[in-house]
Amino acid sequence: MNYLLDTHVLIWAMHEIPRLSNAAQQIISSRSNNVLVSVVSFWELAIKTRLEKFSIKKTNIKDIPQYARDMGLAIWDLQERDAISFLDLPLKENHKDPFDRMLIWQAINNNLTLLSKDKLFQQYAADGLKLLW
């Protein structure tokens, strides 16, 4: 199966494994799954680090892409078809985070299952989001 990690799931997989659900731990650790990290997550972490809304004491943020690769995760680029068709993702009044919305759209548009604990994501199931926690 093909899975896309939400940004917080990536961070937890790196440093706080007990915070992951059992299903998420099994999926991430199984080599039979294709587990992806979007470059959108790296962009989100860089912006939030610059704004001092996020920091990781144990890791230099610039090392996170290589750390993800070392964990056996594949890096998912932002494809032009995902970027240009992003306007097709319905707006939800209570969910406007652009990083979350692009991860959701990448998952929907590429038939990926999104691993996330974020309960707001459930409202996109009617739009085709496959979500697992």
Side-chain angles (χ1 to χ4, degrees):
M1 293 260 329
N2 297 313
Y3 297 94
L4 180 63
L5 301 186
D6 193 356
T7 306
H8 69 271
V9 177
L10 169 63
I11 298 305
W12 293 351
M14 290 171 51
H15 295 298
E16 301 179 62
I17 292 171
R19 294 186 73 176
L20 296 172
S21 69
N22 288 336
Q25 288 181 39
Q26 291 175 359
I27 288 165
I28 293 167
S29 66
S30 174
R31 296 294 180 213
S32 65
N33 294 318
N34 188 25
V35 183
L36 308 165
V37 177
S38 175
V39 296
V40 172
S41 290
F42 302 146
W43 183 31
E44 177 181 13
L45 291 170
I47 288 174
K48 289 183 176 178
T49 298
R50 169 58 63 202
L51 297 174
E52 298 181 356
K53 293 184 175 185
F54 175 82
S55 69
I56 304 177
K57 293 179 172 72
K58 301 175 187 175
T59 304
N60 181 326
I61 190 166
K62 292 179 182 178
D63 294 334
I64 291 176
Q66 187 57 51
Y67 196 96
R69 285 185 198 93
D70 292 346
M71 291 172 50
L73 308 176
I75 308 303
W76 187 262
D77 288 330
L78 178 59
Q79 305 297 316
E80 63 188 59
R81 65 183 161 78
D82 295 333
I84 198 66
S85 65
F86 180 69
L87 61 91
D88 294 333
L89 183 65
L91 289 172
K92 308 291 182 177
E93 194 167 313
N94 66 341
H95 192 250
K96 298 186 190 281
D97 182 294
F99 303 108
D100 287 351
R101 288 180 46 79
M102 182 50 84
L103 291 174
I104 289 166
W105 185 241
Q106 283 186 299
I108 292 170
N109 211 29
N110 294 284
N111 196 31
L112 305 170
T113 299
L114 185 60
L115 293 180
S116 179
K117 187 177 182 178
D118 194 327
K119 295 191 184 317
L120 289 177
F121 288 18
Q122 295 170 356
Q123 64 189 316
Y124 294 94
D127 304 304
L129 179 64
K130 294 182 289 185
L131 184 64
L132 183 66
W133 185 244

